[in-house]
Amino acid sequence: RVDFVLVYEDEGDEGTIETREYYHTSLRKAGLHLEEVNPEVEGGSEEDTNYVLLHAPIQVLMKKAEQLSWKMPLNDIEEYEEEKGSSCFDHLPVHTPLNTHKAKPVYYTGQFRRDKIEAYLNHDQPEKFFTNAQRSRLVYDILQNVQFSDKASDIGIDRLLESGVYNSAFPLHEGPAKPQDVEPGGDDDPETLRQELKQYWARWGAFYKYQPLDHIREYFGEQIAFYFAWLGMYTVWLIPASIMGLLVVIYGLVTMFSFGVVEQTCNDNATNICPTCDSCNATALNKGCLYAKLTRLFDNELTLPFAVLMSFWATFFLEYWKRTTAKLAHHWNVMGIEEEAERPRPQYCVGASNHPLQPNPITQIYEPHFPESKRVPRYFTGWSFITLMFVLLLIFIIGVVLYRTIVIVLLSKTKLTSEAPVVTSLSSSVINLVIILIMSFFYGMLAKALTDWEMHRTDSDYEFNLTLKMYLFEFVNYYSAVIYIAFFKGRFIGYPCNYYKIFGYRQEECAAGGCFYELAQQLLVILLGKQIFNNVVEFLKPRIKLCIENWRRKRKYGALVEDESEQWKMDYHNCEDYGGLFSEYLEMIIQFGFITVFVAAMPLAPLLALLNNIVEIRLDAIQFVVDMRRPVAMKADGIGIWQNILEFVVKLAVIANAFLIAFTSDIIPQIFYRYRHHGTSGLDGYVNYTLVHVPSGCNYTLAHVPSGCRYHGYHDELGNHTLYYCELLIVRLAFVVVFEHFVFSIAGLIDLMVPDIPRSLYLKIKREEYLSQQALVEVEHEDEMMKD
């Protein structure tokens, strides 16, 4: 059985050969069996790819499992858990054979001890004692702890991969993704776990099926299984959110033509709205009829309760995920796993090679050390570059604003005067999306280069700093234009004869129906465009890479070997290296921000996210099962730092939605108007009340501007804010305070009353501890009786 494969494509110089031979000798001393596969003739030329196949005897694996304090299933203490989920789904076709008759049995577990081997399941069947994923994980730990030179600090396969001694290192897939040699109409039942995952999970036709999380965990490990568990639960929770958002839009559509504000706007052709630029013409109020109707779709009486429900939805989702994390962590025997002492990163060791070695404070082993006095300036320099990127991004946003201002002026001189706001808004949204995607691409490379240059010692430090940089930038990159439209556009523009100008241009104003429609459009373009672009790239990238690799091999060797029966050759030539889950999590967290932070302005966002995630799950599944080399099955007890980011987004969403409802939406002004003028119902005269005449004494009567134009605002004849404006501002601020205090209070109460670990699970953990101790005591007692 091949547990791991090391690959190098050329011998290298003499030093590289010596390092590789030393490492192979160290692996043999550690108990591993090595088989070196030499280059073969391929299409008339000699292929220069070398493979080192590693096999670990069972005793070596048991020793390593004991050192790592692994928990293993106990013998004769088996417990089958019933299928989770509501009984109303039992009759729906959402289950797969992997969730029913092929479901994995659940066993009580205990910390592994070699001297109590009889207490563990399959102790008499060495080939079944560890799964393939567990074997590869244990072998990987050996690879990481073996020296490749006389220096005690020169250890680990990662450093050899970084220095080019090996081109790749990976565990093998379990055979091809599809059954081989199946006759037409014959039986194509899966023969391996990989084929089971391909048939029942990693295909488009299974989009409505439950995910076989236990099988994913068995094949890929807990770290990847937790990602798919979170993504699957998030997608399911999007269903009620999508229904609520759809109801908001349907209600707006049904009441669109009978709504008072829409009627007043569409039927008034006598009122002229002051021009939005100095060289523009005034427009009739009814020219804004379309914007008023579109705004009504998203900004109606259901928007406020929808925002409240979505705030609670996000809170409940996080609480439920915490409990699900605890259940899965216990079910997969990773609850409370102790973090191993982290070794220095390969890049850190290379960068610190010119500095004296320092003892590790825990192991006291001398290892590479980069002086803190040199690292701190790099850290601040790196963040200076990040600040410059933020400034550059701000410049691009200002550029888009200027583009809108200039295009409005140009279109006002053509026959497209009435369509100018739509054309300008839509085109600028597309331009902004292109800028976002380009900036995201280049910033990703810059953030990685800066984080490498900062010389972080461990992988956890490196991942934390890279995640922080990437999320902060992507947050500003994706949300800055939206924040500008929602909270700044049209708010500080002044009024006729007293406009505030920047570079000689008046600041842009909202369309006749307000900024809410433009905000919804911006969200729609960014969210939909981002999702389509990412999915297309994710689908095409591995296929393009495979085509390039085949072309390279064909050009180099003259022909391709079509029948590569050896699994290690198929995995190396036909699959790409596993790149981690960072980009997958980042993409989903940015999406989570769109459907929570700005959901009040775009009720269809949860529906768009739901449709995307249905595709995303299967696309990621196909990548892992078919397109990627098998990753090492790493342990994890949750989704890590992304949990903290989710909690931050949820709190931000409550505040952002409160301000959206209060200051961007017309809900609060309309409610206040009803209260002040017509009791609890009626919006008669609302539009007229929000329009103000040009201040007296203002010489705003250019040839192309009627003297009687009006503008949106609450000003008196001198241009000062009215008492009504001050009262409305107080009401808006009071709403923000009440909204966020109400939601945060309920959320805090829920967090206090609902424990992260269910009581039933707590009792089960205690029961398991008791039974595992009893099983080990019984084995010890039997050993003593045999000795007597």
Side-chain angles (χ1 to χ4, degrees):
R1 176 187 295 188
V2 179
D3 295 312
F4 224 90
V5 181
L6 308 180
V7 184
Y8 58 96
E9 292 194 353
D10 58 58
E11 294 289 340
D13 56 24
E14 183 177 349
T16 301
I17 295 175
E18 291 180 357
T19 299
R20 191 182 297 122
E21 290 178 350
Y22 191 103
Y23 190 62
H24 290 177
T25 302
S26 300
L27 292 177
R28 291 187 178 96
K29 289 180 180 179
L32 299 184
H33 296 169
L34 278 67
E35 177 186 354
E36 297 192 36
V37 180
N38 297 322
E40 298 179 356
V41 174
E42 185 171 309
S45 301
E46 184 176 305
E47 183 189 14
D48 58 1
T49 305
N50 299 265
Y51 304 90
V52 182
L53 312 181
L54 306 180
H55 166 72
I58 186 64
Q59 293 302 327
V60 174
L61 296 176
M62 287 183 174
K63 179 180 179 181
K64 178 56 68 174
E66 186 175 28
Q67 291 175 352
L68 297 176
S69 301
W70 274 22
K71 289 184 177 182
M72 299 299 295
L74 296 169
N75 198 22
D76 298 329
I77 309 179
E78 181 179 337
E79 175 199 11
Y80 288 92
E81 289 190 352
E82 296 181 358
E83 184 69 27
K84 297 179 178 63
S86 176
S87 59
C88 64
F89 293 104
D90 291 343
H91 302 292
L92 297 178
V94 294
H95 296 286
T96 70
L98 301 185
N99 299 116
T100 54
H101 64 275
K102 290 187 178 182
K104 296 295 181 183
V106 179
Y107 297 92
Y108 286 114
T109 60
Q111 185 169 321
F112 179 67
R113 292 172 55 184
R114 283 183 292 169
D115 59 340
K116 310 296 181 184
I117 186 65
E118 294 82 3
Y120 301 96
L121 187 69
N122 293 327
H123 66 275
D124 53 347
Q125 301 181 66
E127 70 281 359
K128 294 183 179 180
F129 192 80
F130 294 107
T131 65
N132 288 341
Q134 289 174 329
R135 293 178 67 95
S136 66
R137 175 66 180 87
L138 293 169
V139 172
Y140 176 74
D141 195 89
I142 295 174
L143 294 175
Q144 287 288 69
N145 285 279
V146 166
Q147 294 179 219
F148 54 82
S149 77
D150 294 331
K151 295 182 180 179
S153 59
D154 287 344
I155 60 174
I157 184 63
D158 285 346
R159 289 185 62 184
L160 296 177
L161 291 171
E162 179 70 20
S163 59
V165 177
Y166 296 101
N167 294 90
S168 186
F170 54 89
L172 282 182
H173 275 299
E174 295 181 10
K178 295 181 179 180
Q180 301 293 304
D181 303 325
V182 178
E183 298 180 0
D187 185 14
D188 61 347
D189 285 342
E191 301 171 355
T192 63
L193 181 55
R194 185 188 188 191
Q195 292 177 8
E196 287 183 343
L197 290 173
K198 177 66 177 71
Q199 180 165 328
Y200 299 120
W201 176 55
R203 63 184 182 90
W204 298 111
F207 72 91
Y208 61 95
K209 301 283 188 179
Y210 284 147
Q211 295 189 93
L213 295 178
D214 287 342
H215 297 74
I216 298 171
R217 173 250 182 174
E218 180 179 343
Y219 196 79
F220 293 111
E222 291 81 10
Q223 189 179 73
I224 293 175
F226 265 112
Y227 164 72
F228 281 105
W230 177 82
L231 181 56
M233 197 188 90
Y234 169 47
T235 303
V236 171
W237 273 66
L238 283 173
I239 295 176
S242 301
I243 294 174
M244 290 188 295
L246 200 56
L247 289 176
V248 173
V249 176
I250 293 174
Y251 176 80
L253 183 63
V254 171
T255 62
M256 177 188 297
F257 299 97
S258 60
F259 183 53
V261 174
V262 174
E263 290 181 339
Q264 295 168 42
T265 302
C266 296
N267 297 332
D268 190 340
N269 57 3
T271 302
N272 291 305
I273 303 300
C274 292
T276 55
C277 64
D278 291 337
S279 59
C280 300
N281 295 319
T283 56
L285 178 61
N286 60 2
K287 293 293 185 179
C289 180
L290 176 62
Y291 307 115
K293 291 177 180 178
L294 292 175
T295 300
R296 177 63 180 173
L297 281 177
F298 309 117
D299 189 15
N300 53 62
E301 288 81 359
L302 294 186
T303 304
L304 175 56
F306 174 65
V308 175
L309 289 176
M310 283 301 297
S311 298
F312 288 134
W313 174 90
T315 302
F316 289 144
F317 168 73
L318 275 188
E319 289 301 318
Y320 191 79
W321 170 245
K322 289 178 184 178
R323 294 167 68 85
T324 302
T325 298
K327 292 179 181 178
L328 290 175
H330 172 261
H331 180 58
W332 293 337
N333 303 318
V334 290
M335 177 172 280
I337 57 173
E338 296 182 3
E339 295 185 2
E340 303 170 30
E342 291 189 87
R343 289 177 290 273
R345 297 175 58 249
Q347 296 87 341
Y348 178 87
C349 295
V350 173
S353 58
N354 296 327
H355 300 280
L357 302 179
Q358 295 288 336
N360 185 298
I362 299 176
T363 64
Q364 293 300 310
I365 296 176
Y366 278 82
E367 59 184 29
H369 175 75
F370 194 82
E372 199 72 13
S373 59
K374 293 186 177 181
R375 196 186 72 82
V376 172
R378 293 191 177 199
Y379 184 80
F380 284 106
T381 304
W383 278 100
S384 298
F385 275 100
I386 302 302
T387 304
L388 287 177
M389 289 298 294
F390 286 149
V391 173
L392 180 62
L393 185 59
L394 181 61
I395 292 173
F396 279 123
I397 294 173
I398 295 175
V400 173
V401 173
L402 291 176
Y403 164 83
R404 284 199 290 257
T405 303
I406 295 172
V407 171
I408 280 285
V409 174
L410 295 177
L411 291 179
S412 66
K413 300 177 181 179
T414 67
K415 297 180 180 180
L416 299 175
T417 303
S418 58
E419 291 81 11
V422 175
V423 174
T424 304
S425 177
L426 186 58
S427 61
S428 64
S429 297
V430 174
I431 292 173
N432 188 57
L433 172 64
V434 174
I435 292 174
I436 286 172
L437 295 177
I438 294 175
M439 291 290 288
S440 181
F441 174 76
F442 285 105
Y443 182 80
M445 295 189 296
L446 177 64
K448 188 177 185 307
L450 288 175
T451 310
D452 287 337
W453 186 64
E454 289 171 3
M455 295 296 291
H456 297 285
R457 178 181 172 274
T458 63
D459 283 325
S460 60
D461 289 341
Y462 179 86
E463 288 294 330
F464 174 81
N465 281 274
L466 180 60
T467 301
L468 184 61
K469 288 186 182 69
M470 285 299 298
Y471 181 73
L472 285 178
F473 180 81
E474 294 289 41
F475 183 93
V476 177
N477 190 27
Y478 278 98
Y479 302 150
S480 55
V482 178
I483 292 173
Y484 164 73
I485 296 174
F487 303 117
F488 296 99
K489 183 178 178 179
R491 299 190 181 279
F492 310 102
I493 61 175
Y495 52 88
C497 292
N498 190 29
Y499 283 115
Y500 307 136
K501 297 185 178 182
I502 300 178
F503 305 120
Y505 288 96
R506 281 171 49 184
Q507 298 181 50
E508 59 175 345
E509 301 180 29
C510 296
C515 284
F516 207 84
Y517 158 71
E518 187 176 345
L519 176 61
Q521 176 188 269
Q522 183 78 34
L523 287 167
L524 179 64
V525 171
I526 294 178
L527 182 58
L528 196 59
K530 163 186 170 293
Q531 292 179 167
I532 293 175
F533 177 81
N534 287 341
N535 285 335
V536 170
V537 170
E538 204 168 328
F539 179 77
L540 293 180
K541 183 180 176 182
R543 286 150 185 82
I544 293 175
K545 281 188 174 181
L546 179 59
C547 290
I548 295 174
E549 171 65 16
N550 288 338
W551 174 82
R552 184 189 69 83
R553 293 176 62 201
K554 186 175 182 179
R555 184 178 180 183
K556 189 172 185 178
Y557 304 120
L560 290 177
V561 175
E562 299 294 339
D563 182 21
E564 292 183 330
S565 57
E566 295 89 351
Q567 187 63 42
W568 52 86
K569 295 186 71 175
M570 289 192 292
D571 285 2
Y572 182 67
H573 289 301
N574 299 333
C575 301
E576 61 176 345
D577 264 329
Y578 168 64
L581 293 170
F582 179 84
S583 60
E584 307 295 340
Y585 273 120
L586 181 62
E587 178 185 351
M588 288 296 104
I589 297 300
I590 293 295
Q591 182 201 88
F592 186 78
F594 275 112
I595 69 158
T596 53
V597 178
F598 304 104
V599 71
M602 187 56 191
L604 289 180
L607 179 61
L608 297 176
L610 172 63
L611 297 176
N612 172 80
N613 290 3
I614 291 174
V615 175
E616 183 74 24
I617 290 176
R618 303 305 157 179
L619 186 57
D620 287 346
I622 292 172
Q623 279 194 315
F624 277 96
V625 175
V626 179
D627 298 332
M628 285 184 184
R629 293 169 195 151
R630 188 176 185 177
V632 178
M634 304 301 291
K635 288 184 175 293
D637 59 357
I639 61 175
I641 189 177
W642 301 106
Q643 177 74 32
N644 299 327
I645 295 178
L646 284 173
E647 293 176 357
F648 163 75
V649 172
V650 169
K651 291 180 173 60
L652 178 65
V654 175
I655 299 173
N657 280 292
F659 277 94
L660 275 174
I661 296 295
F663 290 93
T664 308
S665 167
D666 270 344
I667 295 176
I668 300 302
Q670 289 171 7
I671 293 176
F672 187 63
Y673 179 83
R674 285 193 181 107
Y675 172 77
R676 283 289 304 269
H677 295 85
H678 296 279
T680 58
S681 65
L683 284 173
D684 295 340
Y686 174 78
V687 174
N688 181 66
Y689 193 81
T690 60
L691 294 175
V692 186
H693 290 280
V694 175
S696 59
C698 175
N699 187 21
Y700 202 65
T701 57
L702 300 176
H704 56 283
V705 180
S707 58
C709 74
R710 303 174 68 181
Y711 65 99
H712 289 276
Y714 300 100
H715 298 86
D716 58 21
E717 296 179 353
L718 299 177
N720 300 317
H721 287 300
T722 62
L723 178 61
Y724 185 90
Y725 169 84
C726 298
E727 293 175 346
L728 179 59
L729 178 62
I730 293 173
V731 170
R732 282 172 160 168
L733 293 174
F735 171 81
V736 171
V737 174
V738 172
F739 183 94
E740 58 95 3
H741 273 70
F742 172 71
V743 174
F744 282 143
S745 298
I746 299 298
L749 186 61
I750 293 171
D751 186 47
L752 184 65
M753 296 179 61
V754 181
D756 294 342
I757 300 178
R759 177 168 175 76
S760 59
L761 177 59
Y762 173 80
L763 296 176
K764 188 176 180 180
I765 293 172
K766 295 300 181 182
R767 172 72 174 165
E768 179 176 351
E769 292 175 353
Y770 169 77
L771 290 176
S772 63
Q773 291 175 359
Q774 289 296 109
L776 294 176
V777 169
E778 289 179 5
V779 172
E780 186 174 354
H781 180 66
E782 291 176 1
D783 290 342
E784 292 177 354
M785 292 183 63
M786 291 180 63
K787 290 179 181 179
D788 294 339

